[in-house]
Amino acid sequence: MDSEINPWSNSQTVDLDRLFSEFGIEPIGEVARNLPEIPPFIRRGIVVGHRDYNLIADAIRNRTLFHVLTGFMPSGLPHLGHLMVMKEVVWHVQQGGTGYVAIADREAHAVRGVSWEKCREYGKEYLKALYALGFEGTTYYQSRNDRLKDLAFEASTRVNFSELNAIYGFGPDTSLSHAMSVVTQVADILFPQVDAGPAPTIVPVGLDQDPHLRLTRDVAYKLRMFTVEDRGEYISVRSKNAPVGAIEAVHRAFPDSKKYAAHVDIPGLTQTQVEEIVRRIEIEHGGFGFYRPSSTYHIFMPGLQGGKMSSSVPGSLFGFYESESSVKKKVMAALTGGRMTLEEQRRLGGDPDSCPIYLLNLFHMLEDDIELADLRRRCESGELTCGQCKKETLERVQAFLADLRDRMDAVEHLAEEV
């Protein structure tokens, strides 16, 4: 397995072209045009890819049911690097999505060796940040959700170790708890459809998390009783593991259909029309009726010192409750895309695309596109020096953190109740 797509790797280097070509992730630009409004994280090229986002765009546009889910592993305190996914989840909830957030304490305990007490402590901070940013919906800890555990067990009946080896590189030394945490994440992704009913489900993640989505989409397909195939002149509903009564129910639901031993052919309807009825029949006969989950993929914001942003590199990021003096020191010491001398900066201008300070503004600190464009212009023209840019950015960071802390303190009771 390539370490570039290992969800637990300390490296955040991902080959976009490879992911698009080998794993079926599609650029998001075209489907995003179907949204009533294009959010900043897509407009600014932060979210770059998707799987089946057309289902979500249609649901947003038509105001029909859809879910949004993501999870956070509580192996440390939340920080700057977690903000993007949080914002994506909140935006989709605001567009009408039913919100779900999992605190992946089983994963943290199995993979990182974090104590249950620490998982609870860190998890509370993630939840405070989410609620402070405007999240509304269902939140839970994996270890305390019995329905999730039952779903994980059911999902495990469709996963074998050869698949885990192929997707994650698991081998003889991999602990069973690590494998169980993966299956629990599959259940996390499918849980909204068990809790609130089958519907398209969007899972915003970083590109390195795609292995979880590939596995879950496969499991969701395997747990279906039927496949629904467009054969041109008719729609064919084919049994995978459906009980006899279910295939009979499909035949009865479509008066013009023809029934065979293990499939029913239906003329005169679209695939979508047939799928809706078949999904309902499947649920009535004890099935799940899952939609394969959709996903969006965002690029990683670089650390303040360049390279990856990681809690193991303290200077690369700042936490939400970090002291003002520490935040100031990190921002003012950050790498920039400026020139070696002031004279060169004035003459040649800076390179914002390689500048962590500019990208900090692009990702989080400047919400107004016009202001961001002006910042870019001033940088590239040489009008703005790196020192002045850092001072302006620091003011935005300090205001942002002060506001976020106040809001986190105000919603602490919500996090305590989870």
Side-chain angles (χ1 to χ4, degrees):
M1 184 201 64
D2 194 314
S3 62
E4 288 182 340
I5 49 173
N6 178 352
W8 305 283
S9 172
N10 288 325
S11 170
Q12 293 179 328
T13 300
V14 178
D15 184 336
L16 291 182
D17 292 337
R18 176 170 175 258
L19 281 177
F20 287 172
S21 63
E22 288 189 27
F23 298 113
I25 296 176
E26 300 180 53
I28 201 167
E30 183 174 347
V31 69
R33 287 194 282 272
N34 294 326
L35 291 168
E37 63 171 281
I38 299 179
F41 46 81
I42 294 180
R43 286 200 312 267
R44 296 183 178 189
I46 298 168
V47 170
V48 294
H50 77 98
R51 290 186 191 275
D52 285 349
Y53 193 70
N54 56 297
L55 295 176
I56 307 303
D58 289 345
I60 291 173
R61 190 175 60 252
N62 299 324
R63 298 183 181 277
T64 54
L65 179 67
F66 75 97
H67 310 307
V68 52
L69 171 132
T70 199
F72 296 95
M73 181 168 66
S75 57
L77 292 170
H79 54 70
L80 187 61
H82 299 110
L83 272 176
M84 194 66 257
V85 167
M86 291 181 178
K87 288 182 175 181
E88 287 182 69
V89 170
V90 169
W91 184 86
H92 281 95
V93 169
Q94 292 170 343
Q95 303 309 304
T98 307
Y100 287 81
V101 170
I103 299 299
D105 56 346
R106 282 192 154 193
E107 181 185 15
H109 187 67
V111 180
R112 305 291 191 210
V114 182
S115 71
W116 295 114
E117 182 181 357
K118 278 294 182 182
C119 285
R120 184 73 176 176
E121 177 186 328
Y122 294 146
K124 175 183 165 183
E125 296 304 310
Y126 281 94
L127 293 169
K128 284 167 57 179
L130 280 157
Y131 287 127
L133 291 169
F135 176 79
E136 296 179 358
T138 299
T139 54
Y140 62 87
Y141 290 81
Q142 290 175 331
S143 64
R144 300 187 175 201
N145 188 334
D146 289 338
R147 293 172 66 203
L148 178 80
K149 296 174 191 177
D150 290 342
L151 180 57
F153 180 82
E154 194 67 32
S156 73
T157 67
R158 299 296 191 272
V159 179
N160 58 50
F161 275 93
S162 63
E163 289 176 293
L164 297 181
N165 175 265
I167 296 173
Y168 300 102
F170 285 178
D173 295 332
T174 302
S175 70
L176 287 176
S177 64
H178 195 161
M180 289 173 64
S181 76
V182 167
V183 176
T184 302
Q185 287 185 72
V186 169
D188 281 326
I189 295 170
L190 297 176
F191 181 71
Q193 298 192 62
V194 172
D195 188 57
T201 303
I202 181 64
V203 186
V205 292
L207 284 156
D208 62 334
Q209 299 298 305
D210 183 56
H212 296 319
L213 271 301
R214 296 203 307 272
L215 178 61
T216 305
R217 286 169 61 84
D218 186 50
V219 170
Y221 173 78
K222 289 177 179 178
L223 285 172
R224 290 296 306 272
M225 288 182 177
F226 299 103
T227 60
V228 180
E229 303 172 358
D230 189 343
R231 297 297 181 89
E233 296 182 358
Y234 58 90
I235 305 299
S236 183
V237 179
R238 312 185 79 81
S239 174
K240 294 166 59 184
N241 51 24
V244 175
I247 197 74
E248 291 288 351
V250 171
H251 179 46
R252 290 195 301 270
F254 300 96
D256 296 330
S257 65
K258 293 182 180 180
K259 180 181 175 296
Y260 300 90
H263 68 279
V264 175
D265 293 340
I266 304 159
L269 295 175
T270 67
Q271 184 171 352
T272 300
Q273 290 171 321
V274 172
E275 282 180 342
E276 182 178 348
I277 295 171
V278 168
R279 185 171 277 109
R280 186 183 70 241
I281 292 170
E282 184 173 320
I283 294 169
E284 289 171 353
H285 286 79
F288 292 103
F290 287 134
Y291 287 78
R292 283 184 170 184
S294 304
S295 47
T296 56
Y297 301 91
H298 64 81
I299 61 174
F300 297 109
M301 180 182 165
L304 295 175
Q305 297 296 325
K308 65 185 176 69
M309 180 177 289
S310 170
S311 54
S312 63
V313 184
S316 70
L317 51 81
F318 49 79
F320 300 153
Y321 280 100
E322 198 158 333
S323 69
E324 287 191 18
S325 61
S326 177
V327 171
K328 179 178 180 180
K329 181 178 179 180
K330 290 179 180 181
V331 171
M332 297 308 292
L335 190 71
T336 70
R339 305 294 176 175
M340 295 297 293
T341 67
L342 180 60
E343 186 276 329
E344 286 183 333
Q345 179 76 11
R346 295 294 192 194
R347 179 167 53 88
L348 301 174
D351 178 11
D353 293 326
S354 67
C355 177
I357 290 295
Y358 173 77
L359 293 172
L360 175 58
N361 284 285
L362 180 142
F363 270 71
H364 299 303
M365 297 303 154
L366 269 179
E367 295 185 1
D368 190 305
D369 286 350
I370 295 176
E371 289 185 42
L372 182 69
D374 185 60
L375 176 63
R376 184 182 188 92
R377 178 195 62 77
R378 292 162 63 207
C379 173
E380 292 179 325
S381 69
E383 175 185 334
L384 182 65
T385 65
C386 294
Q388 181 60 33
C389 183
K390 285 180 178 180
K391 290 178 182 178
E392 293 177 6
T393 300
L394 177 61
E395 290 179 3
R396 298 184 193 109
V397 168
Q398 290 172 332
F400 172 82
L401 288 177
D403 178 60
L404 181 62
R405 288 166 187 154
D406 286 345
R407 286 188 283 161
M408 287 177 68
D409 291 343
V411 297
E412 185 169 3
H413 65 286
L414 296 177
E416 291 280 8
E417 294 168 3
V418 173

